[in-house]
Amino acid sequence: MKLKEKFYPSLLASECFYPYISKEDILLDAIEKMMDEGYYKRVEAGTFHSEKQRARLSHIVEQHHIGYTQWITNDIATMGLNPASVDKEIRQKTIGKMMELVDMAAESGADRIAMVSGPDPGERLREEAWQGLKEVLQSVLDRMETYPHMVLLLEPLDREAHKMHLIGPSDEAVRLAALADDGRKRCLLSWDSAHTALNGECLGESLRVSAPCLGHIHLANAVLDPEQSGYGDWHMQMGSPGFLDVPCGAGMLEEAAAVLPEEGKLGVSVECRCPADCNPFRIEAECRAFLERILEHDVRL
């Protein structure tokens, strides 16, 4: 079988079309053009703050029969909020803002809302932050009961290499998602290859550990040598000097396919940020070609 029988392509529009990130109408023009081509089955982007553009995006989603994942990471960070704060007042403000973002996601036609945990406060306060984050996730999941079709995705980042986030190692991410979800099956993980590698985890083992709540995969590249220029997760292009090439990506998805349920498909996107001096459509074409090569890979499960 081919990997495309287990995975479907998703467009991480907020990265491929990063130069358009503050120009909602132009970004939506690009998204609509990509969806018209019929390759992608899901689109991922940040929050659209214009009511008009949210309505337009909802129409695109419905017209093309695709999924939409709204990433709220920037909305939280730019306001100085933090889901993992040990300050209860900041957590409550974060919950309030996230409630608004859930409603805005629904207006945009989203079936998923995605986030990261927030900074790691250090070993002494880690357990307190962990419990606070669980409280925030549960509050958001309660709000999402208004939208029965919607799922919450949590992306684990690296803890000690570059982004320094609370979540974190795969086993902790799985435990947190399961506890916050409390049997609802609506809190899943968005797994990222770069952050997993920067955590020093074996990619295949991380996928096996994450399998019970795996909701999406980002194929992301990174320089893993701390002594090398560009070390960390900078949403770089695929290939050298990073670790992620086509054989590596195909190997990862083969590992994931082996532990996923037989029914259904999982979304996968290539995370590559378009530099300011590049043509975003060229970056998208490169990401698509990379993903196509991987998804055409033959595997035996």
Side-chain angles (χ1 to χ4, degrees), residues 220-238:
N221 199 12
V223 172
L224 303 180
D225 182 355
E227 303 302 318
Q228 190 174 348
S229 175
Y231 171 67
D233 176 50
W234 297 101
H235 300 189
M236 64 186 291
Q237 290 179 269
M238 301 300 104

Side-chain angles (χ1 to χ4, degrees), residues 44-161:
E44 305 168 60
T47 303
F48 284 81
H49 294 276
S50 160
E51 185 176 347
K52 176 182 176 183
Q53 302 304 345
R54 291 199 297 274
R56 181 185 171 195
L57 177 54
S58 180
H59 177 72
I60 293 170
V61 168
E62 182 178 3
Q63 182 182 36
H64 292 85
H65 306 288
I66 59 169
Y68 170 50
T69 301
Q70 177 174 300
W71 283 89
I72 64 171
T73 305
N74 287 341
D75 297 281
I76 299 301
T78 55
M79 293 186 67
L81 302 174
N82 176 10
S85 175
V86 295
D87 183 321
K88 187 173 182 179
E89 183 178 350
I90 292 177
R91 285 203 311 275
Q92 289 303 313
K93 288 181 180 179
T94 303
I95 289 171
K97 183 60 180 179
M98 290 176 71
M99 302 293 192
E100 294 178 20
L101 294 169
V102 167
D103 292 337
M104 293 168 75
E107 291 175 22
S108 303
D111 58 348
R112 294 183 172 187
I113 187 165
M115 59 178 286
V116 297
S117 66
D120 176 37
E123 187 174 358
R124 186 175 65 85
L125 295 174
R126 192 169 290 151
E127 179 61 25
E128 185 179 350
W130 200 92
Q131 293 296 334
L133 176 58
K134 183 180 74 168
E135 169 194 311
V136 171
L137 294 177
Q138 289 173 330
S139 297
V140 174
L141 286 164
D142 288 343
R143 179 71 184 93
M144 284 168 50
E145 294 291 343
T146 308
Y147 309 107
H149 65 288
M150 198 178 288
V151 167
L152 177 63
L153 292 178
L154 175 66
E155 181 183 18
L157 303 190
D158 58 89
R159 179 178 284 169
E160 297 178 356

Side-chain angles (χ1 to χ4, degrees), residues 51 79 114 132-133 169 182 193 207-208 250 284:
E51 185 176 347
M79 293 186 67
L133 176 58
D182 195 24
S193 57
L207 285 164
R208 284 188 289 274
E284 182 281 325

Side-chain angles (χ1 to χ4, degrees), residues 182-193:
D182 195 24
R184 287 179 270 206
K185 297 183 179 179
R186 298 181 66 187
C187 184
L188 302 175
L189 299 180
S190 181
W191 187 90
D192 182 290
S193 57

